Amino acid sequence: MIQDREDLQRLRTWLGEQPVPRLVEWLVEAGFAHRPFLVAMTAAWGAGAGESWNAGPVREAICGLTEPPKRTTWRESDAIGNQVTPIGCLLRHVLEERHAADAVELAEYALERIAELSMAVQDSEGWSVPLLDEVGEVHRKACVEARPDVAFLVRRWKGFQRRWCFPVFDRFPAAYEQILGTEGLNEWLLGG
């Protein structure tokens, strides 16, 4: 059983020594045991399958993983948190694969969907705040690489702040100063 970071590091080292076919078998079995993991894994595969990158499967996975059950109360919050957890890892992989512009758009979509789901299940910020923070950090890193239009970015983020009261949305513009520059900060202060 994993007790601390040292145990985790030893497990990673051991996994790195395992033959690829064994790891593939375990990943497939883990996917069938944990449906959200399978959804994220097949989305990553579908996005990169073939000759070119396609963000569609990742967007579909985010949508599916954040779909609220028909009846939701705070009692389902932990299960729903487990359902959406793979989104952070999936988005990190999009960024690692050098698709920063898509990572910006997908992270914004995920932030919206996660915030809406959290409100629908009365999460009381149990699972949603850490996941929103993780996705927010992917978004910030993707913006550093992609350099999106700052006026558009400011308008989007103002919309997020008006709509939701989660800490991740309060970090703007301070966490984005490097991206916004003078033009973006002026837009933030003076824009509508």
Side-chain angles (χ1 to χ4, degrees), residues 62 65-69 72-81 83-84 87 109-133 163-169:
I62 291 167
L65 293 170
T66 57
E67 190 65 36
T72 56
T73 69
W74 60 271
R75 288 180 180 92
E76 287 84 26
S77 185
D78 286 344
I80 290 171
Q83 172 184 313
V84 297
I87 292 173
Y109 179 65
L111 287 167
E112 290 180 283
R113 297 285 301 185
I114 294 164
E116 288 172 4
L117 180 62
S118 178
M119 299 302 287
V121 297
Q122 304 163 359
D123 169 52
S124 299
E125 302 176 355
W127 57 262
S128 61
V129 168
L131 182 58
L132 286 166
D133 287 346
R163 192 161 180 201
W164 297 294
C165 296
F166 290 100
V168 67
F169 301 119

Side-chain angles (χ1 to χ4, degrees), residues 45-72:
W45 172 49
E51 295 180 18
S52 63
W53 163 254
N54 176 8
V58 176
R59 181 177 258 284
E60 290 172 22
I62 291 167
C63 182
L65 293 170
T66 57
E67 190 65 36
K70 298 219 184 289
R71 290 185 180 192
T72 56

Side-chain angles (χ1 to χ4, degrees), residues 24-42:
V24 168
E25 254 333 285
W26 284 347
L27 282 171
V28 170
E29 291 298 321
F32 283 104
H34 188 257
R35 184 187 168 282
F37 175 65
L38 183 63
V39 168
M41 191 168 50
T42 56

